[in-house]
Short mmCIF file of all heavy atoms in Angstrom, two decimals:
data_model
loop_
_atom_site.label_atom_id
_atom_site.label_comp_id
_atom_site.label_asym_id
_atom_site.label_seq_id
_atom_site.Cartn_x
_atom_site.Cartn_y
_atom_site.Cartn_z
N MET A 1 124.18 -124.85 -56.11
CA MET A 1 123.54 -125.02 -54.83
C MET A 1 123.07 -123.69 -54.24
O MET A 1 122.04 -123.61 -53.64
CB MET A 1 124.48 -125.67 -53.81
CG MET A 1 124.62 -127.15 -54.00
SD MET A 1 123.10 -127.96 -53.67
CE MET A 1 123.64 -129.17 -52.57
N THR A 2 123.85 -122.68 -54.43
CA THR A 2 123.51 -121.38 -53.87
C THR A 2 122.24 -120.84 -54.51
O THR A 2 121.40 -120.28 -53.82
CB THR A 2 124.66 -120.38 -54.11
OG1 THR A 2 125.87 -120.97 -53.66
CG2 THR A 2 124.41 -119.10 -53.37
N ALA A 3 122.05 -121.00 -55.82
CA ALA A 3 120.84 -120.52 -56.50
C ALA A 3 119.62 -121.25 -55.98
O ALA A 3 118.56 -120.64 -55.81
CB ALA A 3 120.99 -120.71 -58.00
N ILE A 4 119.72 -122.54 -55.72
CA ILE A 4 118.59 -123.30 -55.18
C ILE A 4 118.26 -122.83 -53.77
O ILE A 4 117.08 -122.66 -53.42
CB ILE A 4 118.91 -124.82 -55.19
CG1 ILE A 4 119.02 -125.29 -56.63
CG2 ILE A 4 117.84 -125.58 -54.44
CD1 ILE A 4 119.48 -126.72 -56.77
N ALA A 5 119.26 -122.57 -52.97
CA ALA A 5 119.03 -122.09 -51.61
C ALA A 5 118.36 -120.72 -51.63
O ALA A 5 117.46 -120.43 -50.83
CB ALA A 5 120.34 -122.03 -50.85
N VAL A 6 118.77 -119.85 -52.55
CA VAL A 6 118.16 -118.52 -52.66
C VAL A 6 116.70 -118.63 -53.09
O VAL A 6 115.83 -117.95 -52.54
CB VAL A 6 118.97 -117.64 -53.65
CG1 VAL A 6 118.22 -116.36 -53.98
CG2 VAL A 6 120.34 -117.33 -53.08
N GLN A 7 116.42 -119.51 -54.05
CA GLN A 7 115.04 -119.71 -54.51
C GLN A 7 114.17 -120.27 -53.38
O GLN A 7 113.02 -119.83 -53.19
CB GLN A 7 115.00 -120.68 -55.71
CG GLN A 7 115.50 -120.08 -56.99
CD GLN A 7 114.55 -119.00 -57.51
OE1 GLN A 7 113.38 -118.96 -57.17
NE2 GLN A 7 115.09 -118.11 -58.33
N ALA A 8 114.69 -121.22 -52.65
CA ALA A 8 113.94 -121.80 -51.53
C ALA A 8 113.68 -120.76 -50.46
O ALA A 8 112.58 -120.69 -49.89
CB ALA A 8 114.70 -122.99 -50.95
N GLN A 9 114.67 -119.94 -50.17
CA GLN A 9 114.51 -118.89 -49.16
C GLN A 9 113.47 -117.87 -49.61
O GLN A 9 112.67 -117.41 -48.81
CB GLN A 9 115.86 -118.21 -48.93
CG GLN A 9 115.90 -117.36 -47.70
CD GLN A 9 115.86 -118.21 -46.43
OE1 GLN A 9 115.64 -119.41 -46.44
NE2 GLN A 9 116.06 -117.55 -45.33
N ARG A 10 113.44 -117.53 -50.90
CA ARG A 10 112.47 -116.58 -51.43
C ARG A 10 111.05 -117.14 -51.32
O ARG A 10 110.12 -116.44 -50.96
CB ARG A 10 112.79 -116.25 -52.88
CG ARG A 10 111.93 -115.11 -53.40
CD ARG A 10 112.24 -114.75 -54.83
NE ARG A 10 113.66 -114.45 -54.99
CZ ARG A 10 114.31 -114.59 -56.13
NH1 ARG A 10 113.68 -115.02 -57.21
NH2 ARG A 10 115.58 -114.29 -56.23
N LEU A 11 110.87 -118.44 -51.64
CA LEU A 11 109.55 -119.06 -51.52
C LEU A 11 109.08 -119.11 -50.08
O LEU A 11 107.91 -118.90 -49.79
CB LEU A 11 109.57 -120.45 -52.13
CG LEU A 11 109.66 -120.50 -53.66
CD1 LEU A 11 109.81 -121.94 -54.13
CD2 LEU A 11 108.42 -119.88 -54.28
N LEU A 12 109.97 -119.43 -49.18
CA LEU A 12 109.60 -119.48 -47.77
C LEU A 12 109.32 -118.08 -47.22
O LEU A 12 108.47 -117.92 -46.35
CB LEU A 12 110.71 -120.14 -46.94
CG LEU A 12 110.87 -121.65 -47.14
CD1 LEU A 12 112.07 -122.15 -46.36
CD2 LEU A 12 109.61 -122.38 -46.73
N GLY A 13 109.98 -117.08 -47.72
CA GLY A 13 109.79 -115.71 -47.26
C GLY A 13 108.45 -115.14 -47.68
O GLY A 13 107.95 -114.20 -47.07
N GLN A 14 107.82 -115.70 -48.71
CA GLN A 14 106.54 -115.17 -49.18
C GLN A 14 105.35 -115.71 -48.40
O GLN A 14 104.25 -115.23 -48.56
CB GLN A 14 106.36 -115.50 -50.66
CG GLN A 14 107.27 -114.70 -51.56
CD GLN A 14 107.05 -115.06 -53.01
OE1 GLN A 14 106.33 -115.99 -53.34
NE2 GLN A 14 107.69 -114.31 -53.89
N ARG A 15 105.57 -116.70 -47.58
CA ARG A 15 104.45 -117.26 -46.81
C ARG A 15 103.97 -116.28 -45.76
O ARG A 15 104.73 -115.55 -45.17
CB ARG A 15 104.91 -118.53 -46.09
CG ARG A 15 104.82 -119.73 -46.93
CD ARG A 15 104.88 -120.93 -46.03
NE ARG A 15 105.35 -122.07 -46.78
CZ ARG A 15 105.87 -123.13 -46.24
NH1 ARG A 15 106.02 -123.20 -44.96
NH2 ARG A 15 106.24 -124.12 -46.99
N ARG A 16 102.70 -116.32 -45.54
CA ARG A 16 102.09 -115.49 -44.51
C ARG A 16 102.34 -116.14 -43.15
O ARG A 16 102.22 -117.34 -42.99
CB ARG A 16 100.59 -115.40 -44.79
CG ARG A 16 99.86 -114.52 -43.89
CD ARG A 16 98.41 -114.33 -44.31
NE ARG A 16 97.78 -115.52 -44.81
CZ ARG A 16 97.22 -115.62 -46.00
NH1 ARG A 16 97.24 -114.61 -46.81
NH2 ARG A 16 96.65 -116.72 -46.37
N PRO A 17 102.71 -115.34 -42.16
CA PRO A 17 102.92 -115.93 -40.84
C PRO A 17 101.62 -116.54 -40.31
O PRO A 17 100.55 -115.97 -40.50
CB PRO A 17 103.37 -114.76 -39.97
CG PRO A 17 103.28 -113.54 -40.79
CD PRO A 17 102.93 -113.92 -42.18
N ARG A 18 101.74 -117.65 -39.64
CA ARG A 18 100.55 -118.32 -39.10
C ARG A 18 100.11 -117.62 -37.83
O ARG A 18 100.90 -117.15 -37.05
CB ARG A 18 100.87 -119.78 -38.81
CG ARG A 18 101.26 -120.49 -40.10
CD ARG A 18 101.00 -121.95 -40.14
NE ARG A 18 99.83 -122.45 -39.53
CZ ARG A 18 98.70 -122.75 -40.16
NH1 ARG A 18 98.60 -122.53 -41.45
NH2 ARG A 18 97.69 -123.24 -39.52
N ARG A 19 98.80 -117.57 -37.67
CA ARG A 19 98.26 -116.97 -36.46
C ARG A 19 98.39 -117.92 -35.30
O ARG A 19 98.37 -119.13 -35.47
CB ARG A 19 96.79 -116.62 -36.67
CG ARG A 19 96.63 -115.37 -37.47
CD ARG A 19 95.20 -114.97 -37.51
NE ARG A 19 94.63 -115.67 -38.65
CZ ARG A 19 93.35 -115.91 -38.80
NH1 ARG A 19 92.50 -115.53 -37.91
NH2 ARG A 19 92.90 -116.52 -39.86
N SER A 20 98.46 -117.35 -34.11
CA SER A 20 98.57 -118.18 -32.91
C SER A 20 97.23 -118.86 -32.64
O SER A 20 96.17 -118.43 -33.12
CB SER A 20 98.96 -117.31 -31.72
OG SER A 20 97.90 -116.43 -31.38
N PHE A 21 97.29 -119.89 -31.85
CA PHE A 21 96.08 -120.62 -31.47
C PHE A 21 95.13 -119.69 -30.71
O PHE A 21 93.92 -119.70 -30.93
CB PHE A 21 96.42 -121.84 -30.61
CG PHE A 21 95.22 -122.48 -29.99
CD1 PHE A 21 94.39 -123.28 -30.76
CD2 PHE A 21 94.90 -122.26 -28.66
CE1 PHE A 21 93.26 -123.86 -30.20
CE2 PHE A 21 93.77 -122.83 -28.10
CZ PHE A 21 92.95 -123.64 -28.87
N PHE A 22 95.69 -118.88 -29.84
CA PHE A 22 94.87 -117.98 -29.03
C PHE A 22 94.10 -116.99 -29.90
O PHE A 22 92.91 -116.77 -29.69
CB PHE A 22 95.75 -117.25 -28.01
CG PHE A 22 94.99 -116.38 -27.08
CD1 PHE A 22 94.18 -116.93 -26.11
CD2 PHE A 22 95.06 -114.99 -27.18
CE1 PHE A 22 93.45 -116.13 -25.25
CE2 PHE A 22 94.35 -114.19 -26.32
CZ PHE A 22 93.55 -114.75 -25.35
N GLU A 23 94.76 -116.41 -30.88
CA GLU A 23 94.08 -115.45 -31.77
C GLU A 23 92.99 -116.14 -32.58
O GLU A 23 91.88 -115.62 -32.72
CB GLU A 23 95.09 -114.79 -32.71
CG GLU A 23 94.45 -113.78 -33.63
CD GLU A 23 95.41 -113.20 -34.64
OE1 GLU A 23 96.63 -113.40 -34.51
OE2 GLU A 23 94.93 -112.55 -35.58
N SER A 24 93.28 -117.31 -33.10
CA SER A 24 92.27 -118.06 -33.86
C SER A 24 91.09 -118.43 -32.98
O SER A 24 89.93 -118.36 -33.41
CB SER A 24 92.88 -119.32 -34.46
OG SER A 24 93.88 -118.99 -35.38
N PHE A 25 91.37 -118.82 -31.75
CA PHE A 25 90.31 -119.18 -30.81
C PHE A 25 89.42 -117.98 -30.51
O PHE A 25 88.19 -118.09 -30.51
CB PHE A 25 90.91 -119.75 -29.52
CG PHE A 25 89.90 -120.07 -28.48
CD1 PHE A 25 89.07 -121.17 -28.62
CD2 PHE A 25 89.76 -119.26 -27.35
CE1 PHE A 25 88.12 -121.46 -27.65
CE2 PHE A 25 88.81 -119.55 -26.39
CZ PHE A 25 87.99 -120.65 -26.54
N ILE A 26 90.03 -116.82 -30.26
CA ILE A 26 89.26 -115.61 -29.95
C ILE A 26 88.39 -115.20 -31.14
O ILE A 26 87.21 -114.87 -30.99
CB ILE A 26 90.19 -114.45 -29.55
CG1 ILE A 26 90.90 -114.77 -28.24
CG2 ILE A 26 89.45 -113.13 -29.46
CD1 ILE A 26 89.98 -114.88 -27.04
N ARG A 27 88.95 -115.26 -32.35
CA ARG A 27 88.18 -114.90 -33.54
C ARG A 27 87.02 -115.88 -33.76
O ARG A 27 85.92 -115.47 -34.13
CB ARG A 27 89.09 -114.84 -34.76
CG ARG A 27 90.01 -113.63 -34.74
CD ARG A 27 90.92 -113.60 -35.96
NE ARG A 27 91.87 -112.51 -35.88
CZ ARG A 27 91.71 -111.32 -36.44
NH1 ARG A 27 90.62 -111.06 -37.12
NH2 ARG A 27 92.64 -110.39 -36.31
N THR A 28 87.25 -117.16 -33.51
CA THR A 28 86.18 -118.15 -33.63
C THR A 28 85.10 -117.90 -32.59
O THR A 28 83.90 -118.02 -32.88
CB THR A 28 86.76 -119.57 -33.49
OG1 THR A 28 87.77 -119.75 -34.48
CG2 THR A 28 85.69 -120.62 -33.65
N LEU A 29 85.50 -117.55 -31.39
CA LEU A 29 84.54 -117.26 -30.32
C LEU A 29 83.70 -116.03 -30.66
O LEU A 29 82.49 -116.02 -30.43
CB LEU A 29 85.30 -117.05 -29.01
CG LEU A 29 84.50 -117.02 -27.73
CD1 LEU A 29 83.77 -118.35 -27.54
CD2 LEU A 29 85.41 -116.76 -26.56
N ILE A 30 84.32 -115.00 -31.24
CA ILE A 30 83.58 -113.81 -31.65
C ILE A 30 82.55 -114.16 -32.72
O ILE A 30 81.40 -113.72 -32.66
CB ILE A 30 84.55 -112.71 -32.13
CG1 ILE A 30 85.33 -112.14 -30.94
CG2 ILE A 30 83.82 -111.60 -32.87
CD1 ILE A 30 86.47 -111.23 -31.31
N ILE A 31 82.95 -114.97 -33.69
CA ILE A 31 82.02 -115.37 -34.75
C ILE A 31 80.87 -116.18 -34.18
O ILE A 31 79.70 -115.98 -34.54
CB ILE A 31 82.77 -116.15 -35.85
CG1 ILE A 31 83.68 -115.20 -36.64
CG2 ILE A 31 81.81 -116.86 -36.78
CD1 ILE A 31 84.62 -115.90 -37.59
N THR A 32 81.16 -117.09 -33.26
CA THR A 32 80.12 -117.92 -32.66
C THR A 32 79.13 -117.09 -31.85
O THR A 32 77.91 -117.26 -31.95
CB THR A 32 80.75 -119.00 -31.76
OG1 THR A 32 81.69 -119.76 -32.52
CG2 THR A 32 79.70 -119.92 -31.18
N CYS A 33 79.64 -116.15 -31.07
CA CYS A 33 78.76 -115.29 -30.27
C CYS A 33 77.94 -114.35 -31.16
O CYS A 33 76.78 -114.06 -30.86
CB CYS A 33 79.57 -114.50 -29.26
SG CYS A 33 80.22 -115.50 -27.93
N ALA A 34 78.54 -113.88 -32.24
CA ALA A 34 77.79 -113.03 -33.18
C ALA A 34 76.66 -113.82 -33.84
O ALA A 34 75.56 -113.31 -34.03
CB ALA A 34 78.72 -112.44 -34.22
N ALA A 35 76.94 -115.09 -34.18
CA ALA A 35 75.90 -115.93 -34.76
C ALA A 35 74.76 -116.16 -33.76
O ALA A 35 73.58 -116.12 -34.12
CB ALA A 35 76.49 -117.25 -35.21
N LEU A 36 75.12 -116.38 -32.50
CA LEU A 36 74.10 -116.54 -31.45
C LEU A 36 73.26 -115.27 -31.31
O LEU A 36 72.03 -115.34 -31.18
CB LEU A 36 74.77 -116.88 -30.12
CG LEU A 36 73.85 -116.99 -28.91
CD1 LEU A 36 72.90 -118.16 -29.08
CD2 LEU A 36 74.66 -117.13 -27.64
N ALA A 37 73.90 -114.11 -31.38
CA ALA A 37 73.18 -112.84 -31.28
C ALA A 37 72.22 -112.65 -32.46
O ALA A 37 71.10 -112.17 -32.28
CB ALA A 37 74.17 -111.68 -31.22
N VAL A 38 72.64 -113.06 -33.66
CA VAL A 38 71.77 -112.96 -34.83
C VAL A 38 70.54 -113.84 -34.65
O VAL A 38 69.41 -113.43 -34.92
CB VAL A 38 72.54 -113.33 -36.12
CG1 VAL A 38 71.59 -113.54 -37.28
CG2 VAL A 38 73.55 -112.25 -36.47
N VAL A 39 70.74 -115.05 -34.16
CA VAL A 39 69.61 -115.97 -33.94
C VAL A 39 68.67 -115.40 -32.88
O VAL A 39 67.45 -115.37 -33.07
CB VAL A 39 70.12 -117.37 -33.55
CG1 VAL A 39 68.98 -118.25 -33.08
CG2 VAL A 39 70.84 -118.02 -34.71
N LEU A 40 69.21 -114.94 -31.75
CA LEU A 40 68.36 -114.38 -30.69
C LEU A 40 67.57 -113.18 -31.19
O LEU A 40 66.37 -113.06 -30.93
CB LEU A 40 69.22 -113.96 -29.50
CG LEU A 40 69.74 -115.04 -28.58
CD1 LEU A 40 70.68 -114.45 -27.54
CD2 LEU A 40 68.61 -115.77 -27.92
N SER A 41 68.22 -112.30 -31.91
CA SER A 41 67.55 -111.10 -32.39
C SER A 41 66.48 -111.42 -33.43
O SER A 41 65.39 -110.86 -33.38
CB SER A 41 68.58 -110.14 -32.99
OG SER A 41 67.97 -108.93 -33.33
N SER A 42 66.78 -112.33 -34.34
CA SER A 42 65.78 -112.66 -35.37
C SER A 42 64.57 -113.36 -34.76
O SER A 42 63.43 -113.07 -35.14
CB SER A 42 66.41 -113.49 -36.48
OG SER A 42 66.90 -114.71 -35.98
N VAL A 43 64.77 -114.25 -33.81
CA VAL A 43 63.64 -114.91 -33.14
C VAL A 43 62.82 -113.89 -32.37
O VAL A 43 61.59 -113.91 -32.40
CB VAL A 43 64.15 -116.05 -32.22
CG1 VAL A 43 63.05 -116.52 -31.29
CG2 VAL A 43 64.67 -117.21 -33.05
#
């Protein structure tokens, strides 16, 4: 049982921490505004 617990802990430890909703929202907003700027500038 201990070996299985160690393996499970190692697999869980390798995961990348998830970003917060706020950070994802801000990054999405930056991408959206940059896309709008590209469209405005090209037109």
Side-chain angles (χ1 to χ4, degrees):
M1 282 295 230
T2 309
I4 294 174
V6 169
Q7 287 291 338
Q9 194 70 351
R10 189 179 305 154
L11 289 174
L12 289 175
Q14 289 180 352
R15 275 197 204 159
R16 184 173 39 237
R18 299 207 37 98
R19 282 187 272 158
S20 69
F21 170 77
F22 184 70
E23 181 185 348
S24 296
F25 176 73
I26 294 295
R27 288 179 185 264
T28 303
L29 193 61
I30 289 170
I31 290 171
T32 304
C33 289
L36 176 66
V38 167
V39 170
L40 284 175
S41 186
S42 61
V43 167

